[in-house]
C-alpha cells in the first residue's frame, strides 16, 4: 500500500541576495503544493517537508539550487517577421516555444528595428535567494487534487 501524497501550506517571504523582498504570500493565503509534483523549487520543497506545523525557517538557496544559473542558450534574437506585428509587441510579453527540453515560456527583453531578444530563463535565474517560511498545514491530497495536479484551497477547486 503506497503512502498518499500530501499537501503542504506555507507562508513565505522571498528576498534577493541584497535582502530586497521579491515576493511574499498574502496574509491568510498560504502557498500550497502537492509534494513531489514539481510545483515549487525542489530544494525548497525538501526543506519544507522536514518542518512541523507552526515551524519558522530561514532557507538560503544559491542560484543553482533555486531557479538555476542563466543559460545563455535560452537567450536569442528572433527576426520581427517571425513574431506578432511590432506595434503590438512589447518588452515583457511572453511566448511559448518548443525547445530540446520541451515547451517553455520565453519573454521579450529587448526590441530593435529588426529583432526581438527573447529569454527563456526563469526571471530569477542566476540569483541567490532566501526564503523565510512558516509551515501552516500538512494534509493528505484529495483524489481530485491528484487528478488535477495541484492543491485546492479552502472550499475546493479554484482556478
Amino acid at each position: 500500500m503506497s503512502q498518499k501524497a500530501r499537501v503542504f501550506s506555507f507562508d513565505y517571504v522571498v528576498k534577493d541576495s541584497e535582502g530586497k523582498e521579491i515576493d511574499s504570500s498574502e496574509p491568510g493565503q498560504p502557498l500550497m503544493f502537492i509534494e513531489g509534483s514539481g510545483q515549487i523549487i525542489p530544494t525548497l520543497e525538501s526543506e519544507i517537508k522536514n518542518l512541523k506545523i507552526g515551524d519558522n525557517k530561514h532557507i538560503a538557496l544559491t542560484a543553482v539550487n533555486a531557479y538555476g544559473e542563466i543559460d545563455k542558450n535560452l537567450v536569442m534574437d528572433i527576426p520581427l517577421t517571425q513574431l506578432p506585428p511590432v506595434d503590438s509587441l512589447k518588452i515583457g510579453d511572453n511566448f511559448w516555444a518548443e525547445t530540446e527540453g520541451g515547451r517553455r515560456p520565453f519573454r521579450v527583453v529587448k526590441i530593435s528595428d529588426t529583432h526581438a531578444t527573447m529569454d527563456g530563463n526563469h526571471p530569477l535565474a542566476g540569483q541567490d535567494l532566501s526564503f523565510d517560511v512558516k509551515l501552516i498545514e500538512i494534509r493528505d491530497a484529495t483524489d481530485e487534487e491528484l487528478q488535477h495536479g495541484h492543491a485546492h484551497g479552502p472550499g475546493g477547486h479554484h482556478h
Side-chain angles (χ1 to χ4, degrees):
M1 185 161 132
S2 66
Q3 181 180 356
K4 191 161 191 172
R6 298 175 295 172
V7 171
F8 289 77
S9 300
F10 67 101
D11 286 329
Y12 72 93
V13 174
V14 61
K15 296 178 181 175
D16 65 15
S17 60
E18 306 296 316
K20 180 182 172 214
E21 185 175 314
I22 297 172
D23 193 18
S24 65
S25 54
E26 295 293 325
Q29 297 180 14
L31 183 63
M32 303 168 72
F33 69 92
I34 299 173
E35 68 182 316
S37 63
Q39 295 169 334
I40 68 169
I41 300 167
T43 310
L44 181 61
E45 177 175 335
S46 66
E47 292 284 339
I48 290 171
K49 286 171 48 173
N50 291 324
L51 300 177
K52 294 179 179 60
I53 294 172
D55 283 354
N56 291 289
K57 185 166 187 182
H58 178 80
I59 303 166
L61 300 178
T62 60
V64 79
N65 289 319
Y67 290 99
E69 296 292 348
I70 293 174
D71 181 347
K72 293 186 186 327
N73 293 321
L74 293 177
V75 179
M76 55 196 77
D77 289 324
I78 307 294
L80 293 177
T81 55
Q82 295 181 19
L83 296 169
V86 72
D87 55 338
S88 65
L89 187 67
K90 60 188 177 303
I91 292 176
D93 283 352
N94 289 295
F95 296 91
W96 286 90
E98 291 296 330
T99 68
E100 290 178 9
R103 191 168 149 85
R104 71 179 313 129
F106 282 78
R107 72 187 175 289
V108 178
V109 294
K110 181 178 168 189
I111 301 171
S112 73
D113 291 339
T114 59
H115 289 77
T117 303
M118 308 292 283
D119 188 345
N121 288 286
H122 187 281
L124 297 175
Q127 295 187 47
D128 295 341
L129 301 173
S130 65
F131 292 81
D132 289 308
V133 300
K134 179 178 183 178
L135 186 60
I136 303 299
E137 180 184 37
I138 305 171
R139 63 173 175 78
D140 287 341
T142 66
D143 291 338
E144 183 181 39
E145 287 172 322
L146 294 172
Q147 288 172 351
H148 290 180
H150 59 262
H152 298 163
H157 191 221
H158 301 288
H159 279 202

